[in-house]
Amino acid sequence: MKNDNIKNQYRINEQIRSREVRIVGDNGSTVVPTRQALDMARDQGVDLVEISPNANPPVCRLIDYSKFLYQQKKRAKEMKAKQVKVEVKEIRFGPQTDEHDYQFKLKHAKEFLEDGNKVRAYVFFRGRSILFKEQGEVLLLRFANDLEEYGKVEHMPSLEGKKMFLYLAPKKAGVAKKSQQALDREKKASEQKEARKSQAEAEEPNIEIPANGGLFANAKMSADAKKKLNISE
């Protein structure tokens, strides 16, 4: 189906009805009558492919149609691979969410936005709790304000049935950042590395060398090495 859609996008050879066309190639472009362009295509053993039908005159290329379709499919595939997949993460609140639960969900929302995902936060009103819809709106507005550094509001709080929704998008859409958990892991690994280095230095033998250097007197040593061996200059 997708291949058929690509094929149907372009007219070729006798399907091109304009009186003249602009042929583009490596050596520039030239405007010629369509009949002449078709003769040129036949002489070269290729097709006349209309690539910009809305131009005046339409823009065409002299190229093998199968090769042209392959290039178009390859380009479309590359563009699709470059597109960043954005997920929508949900955060659910109750109209009377306590502070601890609020901070927990706020932390997760920050991570979602930092990773380039959208956030859909909503307050669910169960039964008579719909009477507290103003509290739900205040909660969502506070949530948006606390996330101002990480995301922008796409849709202000609105009531849909028994749920009030707020939509947030990352400020730098598609730019994946490291989550706080990843940063904490890197910090911990760095601290462990420094601790092992300090321990190794502490376990180095403290060799006492005479003031004149003794056996090391004539050795070529760096200032750092002499310092470790307690050799005076």
Side-chain angles (χ1 to χ4, degrees), residues 135-191:
Q135 285 182 234
E137 184 177 8
V138 170
L139 186 150
L140 290 176
L141 290 173
R142 176 192 173 189
F143 193 64
N145 185 65
D146 289 344
L147 292 169
E148 184 179 9
E149 183 181 345
Y150 305 89
K152 55 187 177 183
V153 176
E154 277 195 334
H155 195 288
M156 292 295 284
S158 61
L159 189 64
E160 300 176 22
K162 294 184 177 181
K163 296 179 181 178
M164 182 175 287
F165 290 95
L166 168 73
Y167 294 86
L168 298 167
K171 279 201 168 178
K172 295 182 179 180
V175 179
K177 295 183 179 180
K178 293 180 181 178
S179 66
Q180 188 59 47
Q181 291 178 340
L183 292 173
D184 290 343
R185 285 195 298 270
E186 289 184 3
K187 182 179 178 182
K188 185 177 180 180
S190 178
E191 290 174 349

Side-chain angles (χ1 to χ4, degrees), residues 49-116:
V49 182
E50 186 182 61
I51 58 176
S52 295
N54 296 326
N56 187 21
V59 179
C60 297
R61 285 181 63 188
L62 297 174
I63 187 174
D64 180 84
Y65 189 47
S66 298
K67 181 179 179 181
F68 175 76
L69 288 178
Y70 172 77
Q71 291 175 348
Q72 295 303 108
K73 293 171 191 173
K74 184 179 179 181
R75 186 174 299 141
K77 187 176 181 180
E78 289 174 350
M79 289 180 64
K80 185 177 180 180
K82 290 180 181 178
Q83 291 176 346
V84 178
K85 184 179 179 181
V86 178
E87 296 183 15
V88 179
K89 303 290 187 178
E90 283 196 344
I91 301 287
R92 172 177 170 167
F93 292 102
Q96 296 175 314
T97 300
D98 61 46
E99 185 63 23
H100 180 268
D101 191 29
Y102 175 85
Q103 292 298 332
F104 178 77
K105 291 176 178 179
L106 180 66
K107 178 183 176 183
H108 280 293
K110 287 178 181 178
E111 292 178 0
F112 294 150
L113 291 169
E114 284 180 332
D115 288 340

